[in-house]
Amino acid sequence: MPKRLAFLILASALLWGQGGLVVSQDRQASLAGAAILSRGGNAVDAAVATAFALAVTHPAAGNLGGGGFLLSRNKDGKPAFLDFRETAPAAATADMFMKDGVYDEDLHHRSWRSVGVPGTVAGLHTAWKTQGRLPWRTLLEPAIRLARDGFPVSGTLAASLEGVREEFLKHPGSRKQFTRDGAPFAAGDLLRQEDLARTLERVAAQGPRGFYRGATARLIVAEMKAHGGLITLRDLAAYRCIPREPLKGSYRGLELLVGPPPCSGGTVLLEMLNILEGYDLKGPGVGSAATVHLAAEAMRRAFLDRARFLGDPGPAGFGAMPVPRLISKAYAAGLSKGIDPLRATPSGPEAVEEPLEPDHTTHLSVVDGEGAAVSLTYTLEDSYGSKIVVPGAGFLLNNEMGDFNAAPGLTDRLGRIGTRANLAAPGKRMLSSMCPTILLKGGKVWMVTGSPGGRTIPNTVLWTILWAVDGGLKAPDVVAAPRFHHQWLPDVLCFEKGRLSAELRSALEAMGHPLYERPYQGCAQVILAGEDGTFTGAADGRWADSFTARAEAAK
Ligand code: DON
């Protein structure tokens, strides 16, 4: 037998024997996905089951009432990208967040008008329908069980629920579901979500009709009507998941698959990697001042382009945008000419303000025993979205309309952007920073990565790639290593608390970077292949419940 063929057979046997991995922000959800793999499901089946389970066990970001993106590569090497981002209701307008001629931040981010038409159920169903293997109902069973029978609240979840209890108390549906008659949940208490179990049952029995029509749709619209929200039955019935062509790029010989707009993360990531490919990062080291500076300059430039050019590419959106140019090597080479290796390029004379973007979304990474992979990020926008549980339906509504630009022309130093590309319009999808990513080496899946974190997302993904590729770190170290963030405006370079040495700080300050401390950056869930092709999952300890579950090897 030719050596190459023998190697291929051995490698496939190793992959097959491995049974697959699921890495997510919650133990029960990762186990649900791994159980699906063990039952013969593929990576998409496992991702769908994990996502439904997260909607029960990680309610801060796992969801039915939000939206997101699923990037996959099947066992035959075919990539696919599903856009199930929320849409603006038909009654939306560009100045819908203005009150008496003045921009109103509460209306934009914390009101029934902040709710976009949810996409998650349509997205997960399309994924299953086009790529799944096991019966639909089977994929919802773990979530239904967890919602109906309950599960013990972890210390992390108890603390997280307590952080928003005051807000839950304002909404009867939320009070009922996420407090004990107004009192906090303690670690170890059972959290049962019977209304949610019934909604999941309707989705299991009827598919998207169980969500976008009938009882669930009526419950959503009743909540909207009672509080001045805009979503109608017609908006819900009109929602569609959109398959899009994944964007392709490369970095130091690896191939990259990422998402196109309205997912901005992919374009931003490729633009940054293209810039950084022109420099030796291994020599100085990934954590060195030289590399952090160059990365900051790449981040700054890519985020400026995000603001200038990116939005919903669909008919309801902004139309054509120069994505092929933005992700080309030639464009990056031009940008690099403007980078001084020793000096920060100012974005503007900024005061250091709290970055606006909130911090909750969730990512899951899956590989199966046949070498297929899924990278899925979805969100309610803020932690627990709008904090509004739909009474009788048991799920939280997003506040994703906050991802549209605030108001025409309103660009300021806090990071508000008023450019046309991403203003609200009927049926339009708000621009997202989410960045599900798959890297290939020699035509095989090598790394699956992604993270929550608002505008920090593409940058967190960038750092996982830099640490893996240029730093040569193994999966757990890739996830544990420090991350940095720059988003053009505000003009500050963010670092993680306790992760910046005095030496690095003074070197970066000497180059002209105003520094800003964040408690932490993102929560990346990474799968990385070792030299022998076997995968290691690394769940990010920045959220203590993150967990890697391994499927039983196929017989
Ligand atoms: O789609 C987006 O870019 C944001 N709505 C994501 C929000 C988020 O990640 C908050 N994070 N952890």
Side-chain angles (χ1 to χ4, degrees):
M1 190 184 303
K3 255 194 189 157
R4 199 176 137 74
L5 185 60
F7 174 76
L8 281 178
I9 291 173
L10 179 67
S12 333
L14 275 174
L15 284 175
W16 178 248
Q18 224 186 1
L21 289 171
V22 179
V23 194
S24 86
Q25 235 173 304
D26 178 75
R27 180 172 173 275
Q28 313 250 22
S30 293
L31 288 172
I36 290 293
L37 291 176
S38 301
R39 290 174 66 172
N42 62 19
V44 167
D45 290 318
V48 170
T50 307
F52 275 122
L54 281 168
V56 181
T57 58
H58 183 55
N63 67 81
L64 299 187
F69 305 110
L70 184 153
L71 175 69
S72 61
R73 185 173 191 265
N74 74 8
K75 66 182 172 55
D76 304 319
K78 187 170 180 307
F81 181 79
L82 295 177
D83 165 3
F84 54 98
R85 183 70 161 162
E86 297 93 325
T87 55
T93 58
D95 57 3
M96 66 184 279
F97 309 116
M98 309 278 281
K99 203 155 128 192
D100 304 326
V102 181
Y103 166 65
D104 185 325
E105 193 168 312
D106 279 340
L107 207 52
H108 190 195
H109 293 282
R110 289 173 286 278
S111 77
W112 282 263
R113 287 199 169 203
S114 339
V115 184
V117 181
T120 294
V121 173
L124 298 181
H125 189 263
T126 305
W128 165 79
K129 204 168 155 185
T130 52
Q131 302 168 58
R133 186 183 286 163
L134 297 185
W136 170 244
R137 193 183 169 84
T138 305
L139 308 186
L140 279 108
E141 269 163 10
I144 293 172
R145 204 171 43 246
L146 288 161
R148 189 192 53 217
D149 303 344
F151 63 93
V153 169
S154 68
T156 313
L157 179 55
S160 160
L161 289 171
E162 177 57 7
V164 285
R165 188 163 55 96
E166 286 300 310
E167 299 210 48
F168 285 155
L169 294 178
K170 295 180 195 157
H171 307 292
S174 315
R175 183 183 195 279
K176 176 180 161 198
Q177 189 151 332
F178 292 127
T179 71
R180 302 187 66 134
D181 258 341
F185 274 97
D189 286 349
L190 203 63
L191 175 58
R192 279 214 184 91
Q193 302 172 81
E194 281 138 13
D195 289 338
L196 176 58
R198 279 188 283 274
T199 297
L200 287 164
E201 278 288 358
R202 286 193 288 276
V203 172
Q206 303 165 40
R209 290 186 74 84
F211 186 87
Y212 293 97
R213 291 168 193 267
T216 317
R218 283 195 297 274
L219 290 166
I220 296 173
V221 171
E223 178 67 11
M224 288 290 130
K225 278 200 176 137
H227 299 282
L230 300 182
I231 296 175
T232 61
L233 286 174
R234 188 181 284 240
D235 287 322
L236 289 165
Y239 187 85
R240 295 289 177 273
C241 163
I242 303 180
R244 300 188 188 275
E245 218 28 64
L247 294 181
K248 293 185 179 162
S250 66
Y251 183 64
R252 304 202 198 279
L254 298 162
E255 287 174 76
L256 273 114
L257 298 172
V258 293
C263 165
S264 75
T267 305
V268 169
L269 178 66
L270 293 185
E271 187 173 328
M272 296 188 296
L273 285 171
N274 286 340
I275 292 172
L276 293 172
E277 198 178 39
Y279 300 88
D280 170 29
L281 308 183
K282 214 182 239 173
V286 175
S288 66
T291 298
V292 175
H293 164 67
L294 290 170
E297 294 307 307
M299 294 189 262
R300 179 199 312 277
R301 283 160 177 78
F303 270 81
L304 170 57
D305 283 340
R306 175 194 192 272
R308 273 185 186 148
F309 298 119
L310 302 183
D312 180 352
F318 191 54
M321 47 191 79
V323 173
R325 181 163 69 88
L326 298 181
I327 64 172
S328 70
K329 302 280 184 197
Y331 181 68
L335 287 179
S336 301
K337 290 201 183 114
I339 295 180
D340 179 337
L342 296 174
R343 196 76 213 151
T345 320
S347 300
E350 300 315 315
V352 176
E353 298 282 349
E354 182 69 30
L356 276 177
E357 203 82 6
D359 234 19
H360 285 88
T361 293
T362 193
H363 178 82
L364 63 99
S365 294
V366 182
V367 292
D368 67 20
E370 298 169 300
V374 170
S375 186
L376 187 161
T377 316
Y378 72 153
T379 185
L380 290 163
E381 161 67 351
D382 272 339
S383 188
Y384 302 94
S386 63
K387 324 284 188 287
I388 303 164
V389 168
V390 178
F395 60 85
L396 283 154
L397 292 168
N398 67 78
N399 61 335
E400 214 78 56
M401 295 289 283
D403 274 356
F404 279 120
N405 292 348
L410 177 59
T411 299
D412 65 21
R413 292 164 179 195
L414 296 177
R416 285 194 196 109
I417 317 282
T419 46
R420 266 194 321 138
N422 187 38
L423 290 170
K428 186 170 170 181
R429 292 171 189 229
M430 55 296 282
L431 188 63
S432 169
S433 299
M434 291 188 277
C435 191
T437 301
I438 296 176
L439 285 93
L440 311 173
K441 190 184 230 170
K444 284 195 179 343
V445 172
W446 182 70
M447 184 178 189
V448 186
T449 177
S451 176
R455 273 188 242 179
T456 63
I457 293 173
N459 296 338
T460 295
V461 174
L462 172 74
W463 284 97
T464 62
I465 294 172
L466 297 182
W467 284 116
V469 177
D470 299 279
L473 299 188
K474 300 222 182 316
D477 299 326
V478 162
V479 163
R483 301 165 185 158
F484 302 85
H485 172 71
H486 199 298
Q487 61 175 49
W488 172 53
L489 288 174
D491 188 357
V492 290
L493 176 58
C494 303
F495 64 95
E496 298 185 293
K497 188 173 173 65
R499 311 297 303 273
L500 189 72
S501 66
E503 196 189 348
L504 186 52
R505 173 187 287 272
S506 52
L508 290 169
E509 280 175 347
M511 290 184 203
H513 289 285
L515 296 173
Y516 184 86
E517 180 183 277
R518 303 176 70 101
Y520 61 92
Q521 181 178 321
C523 187
Q525 312 298 343
V526 170
I527 297 176
L528 185 61
E531 305 232 318
D532 61 357
T534 55
F535 290 111
T536 304
D540 195 333
R542 287 168 179 80
W543 178 266
D545 288 351
S546 298
F547 190 77
T548 300
R550 189 171 279 277
E552 283 169 32
K555 305 281 173 308

